[in-house]
Amino acid sequence: MDQDSQCTAERELLQAVSTITTSSTTSPSDEEENQPKAEISCQVRKENPEKDDTQDSSATLSPNSSMTTKELQEYWRNEKRQCKQIKLLFEIPSTRIVEHHLSKYVMYKIIILQTGSFDSNKSVIERRYSDFEKLHRNLLEEFSEEMEDVTFPKKTLTGNFTEEVINERKLAFKDYLRFLYSMKYIRRSKKFIDFLTRPELQEAYGCLRGGQYATALEILLGVLGLQERLTRGNPVAIVPTLCAIVVCHKDLENPASAFEYGEKALSRLRVHSSHRYYIPLLEAMITLAYELGKDFLSLQEKLEEWKAKKDPIRVFTLKELAVREYVQ
């Protein structure tokens, strides 16, 4: 590369780095140009404390003319790593006031959308102020450093049900959820995921235990999509929900649908044969495959292979396992 070309390249990199550091956004790649626009959230704080030394050393570099092209490229890469493409969006479009005996509270309707998705992919849940407050308190116990700059709407002695206060909290809670999701360790934490899914799952399993399989199935299917988006890095996490759906379909005499969701669950347990759901699921799938006229011999071989490796122990049926979930 001649001297003029190298100078031109350095100027272009300087301009790009300057754009990153001043606007805290990233430019879309060629591949992203062909996809729906995604909102970008840049984190000010480091997400991985184990990499502090590496990040601190790179942070000493500044985008100035004394840096070589290679140093500028490395600086740019480090800056881009601080930005994360948001995959879920949180909206709180409405609220409702609930009066129950001697209590009165506001329920906030939360719509969770995947970036660039259509309305069919949205999840809708409701939470009250005390739910947010409990989440905040729990997260502070585990992520005190990450949460130190987070503002949380304070309780007021009066005016909690005025339109002005409710609207302020709607905006505050929306920003709060968005901030939490932008931080990798928090969005992957059980406490955050439980806040978004546990109440609905508890209701669904309560219906399942009560024999209300249609109602349980409707709730479980509604939660499943959100669980999948929240636990992309941990596919085994949704196995209990998939198995509960299998149980509901089975008791509603929908063997084909039960088998379909059973296959999804088994695919997530392929390398997790010690999982508590593995054998009960295999046994249920053998029964379903036989009923549907599908190949059950391969499933039977897996079951026999597992039994040959393990000492005989009492194994619950799939339904017995499901009804034990979320029992207080």
Side-chain angles (χ1 to χ4, degrees):
M1 180 184 293
D2 59 34
Q3 185 175 359
D4 290 342
S5 300
Q6 182 170 347
C7 290
T8 301
E10 290 182 0
R11 283 197 298 272
E12 291 175 350
L13 282 167
L14 280 169
Q15 183 179 0
V17 170
S18 177
T19 301
I20 292 174
T21 56
T22 55
S23 64
S24 295
T25 57
T26 56
S27 301
S29 63
D30 292 339
E31 181 180 354
E32 289 171 332
E33 288 288 358
N34 297 324
Q35 298 176 351
K37 295 294 182 182
E39 198 169 348
I40 304 295
S41 171
C42 294
Q43 300 177 27
V44 177
R45 201 177 353 262
K46 302 182 187 74
E47 286 187 339
N48 192 343
E50 296 177 0
K51 296 183 180 180
D52 279 355
D53 292 339
T54 304
Q55 291 178 339
D56 286 345
S57 63
S58 65
T60 59
L61 297 174
S62 59
N64 55 57
S65 57
S66 65
M67 295 171 65
T68 65
T69 301
K70 183 177 180 180
E71 288 174 334
L72 281 167
Q73 289 173 336
E74 182 62 27
Y75 180 89
W76 191 7
R77 279 194 291 268
N78 287 335
E79 286 296 319
K80 289 178 71 176
R81 289 191 193 107
Q82 300 302 312
C83 299
K84 178 195 171 294
Q85 191 173 26
I86 289 182
K87 295 180 181 178
L88 292 184
L89 302 176
F90 298 87
E91 298 291 340
I92 304 181
S94 62
T95 61
R96 64 187 178 94
I97 297 176
V98 178
E99 295 189 55
H100 185 68
H101 297 304
L102 299 177
S103 64
K104 182 179 180 180
Y105 52 88
V106 179
M107 293 294 289
Y108 296 84
K109 181 180 180 180
I110 306 169
I111 297 179
I112 306 164
L113 289 164
Q114 187 169 344
T115 303
S117 68
F118 296 103
D119 286 347
S120 60
N121 293 324
K122 70 182 180 184
S123 299
V124 182
I125 60 176
E126 282 190 317
R127 298 292 182 267
R128 54 189 291 189
Y129 180 94
S130 60
D131 296 324
F132 281 97
E133 190 177 39
K134 181 180 178 182
L135 170 66
H136 189 69
R137 190 166 56 248
N138 289 340
L139 290 177
L140 281 174
E141 294 175 359
E142 188 174 352
F143 305 101
S144 57
E145 183 180 346
E146 290 84 353
M147 300 283 291
E148 63 183 2
D149 294 330
V150 180
T151 56
F152 189 82
K154 294 182 179 180
K155 276 186 176 179
T156 57
L157 295 176
T158 60
N160 286 307
F161 302 101
T162 63
E163 185 177 353
E164 181 181 0
V165 170
I166 291 174
N167 286 334
E168 285 177 358
R169 286 183 176 174
K170 278 169 55 178
L171 293 174
F173 285 143
K174 172 186 172 181
D175 291 340
Y176 179 73
L177 290 173
R178 179 178 173 180
F179 179 82
L180 295 181
Y181 182 77
S182 73
M183 305 187 73
K184 179 174 67 176
Y185 295 121
I186 292 181
R187 72 173 175 269
R188 291 181 179 177
S189 71
K190 185 178 184 300
K191 293 174 181 177
F192 181 65
I193 295 172
D194 278 354
F195 169 79
L196 295 172
T197 60
R198 189 178 180 90
E200 285 71 25
L201 287 171
Q202 286 178 320
E203 182 184 0
Y205 279 99
C207 292
L208 193 157
R209 284 188 289 273
Q212 299 175 323
Y213 302 114
T215 303
L217 180 61
E218 183 181 358
I219 300 171
L220 288 167
L221 290 173
V223 178
L224 180 63
L226 179 56
Q227 274 189 305
E228 287 177 323
R229 294 194 287 271
L230 289 168
T231 61
R232 288 187 186 279
N234 183 20
V236 177
I238 67 168
V239 166
T241 303
L242 287 169
C243 288
I245 291 173
V246 171
V247 170
C248 289
H249 274 305
K250 204 163 178 286
D251 280 281
L252 289 169
E253 298 183 357
N254 299 324
S257 297
F259 191 83
E260 176 189 348
Y261 282 93
E263 285 187 313
K264 292 179 181 180
L266 269 182
S267 70
R268 287 161 171 79
L269 295 178
R270 189 173 291 112
V271 294
H272 300 279
S273 59
S274 60
H275 195 281
R276 71 187 190 281
Y277 271 93
Y278 183 69
I279 293 306
L281 179 59
L282 264 182
E283 291 176 338
M285 290 294 285
I286 291 170
T287 302
L288 288 166
Y290 182 80
E291 182 180 348
L292 293 167
K294 295 180 178 289
D295 171 33
F296 63 88
L297 293 179
S298 58
L299 296 170
Q300 187 70 46
E301 287 174 3
K302 291 179 181 178
L303 180 61
E304 296 302 327
E305 180 183 346
W306 184 91
K307 287 182 177 180
K309 292 180 180 178
K310 305 287 183 179
D311 294 330
I313 56 173
R314 182 178 183 274
V315 178
F316 292 111
T317 66
L318 195 65
K319 188 172 183 177
E320 286 173 338
L321 266 185
V323 298
R324 281 168 169 74
E325 295 284 348
Y326 294 95
V327 175
Q328 299 297 333

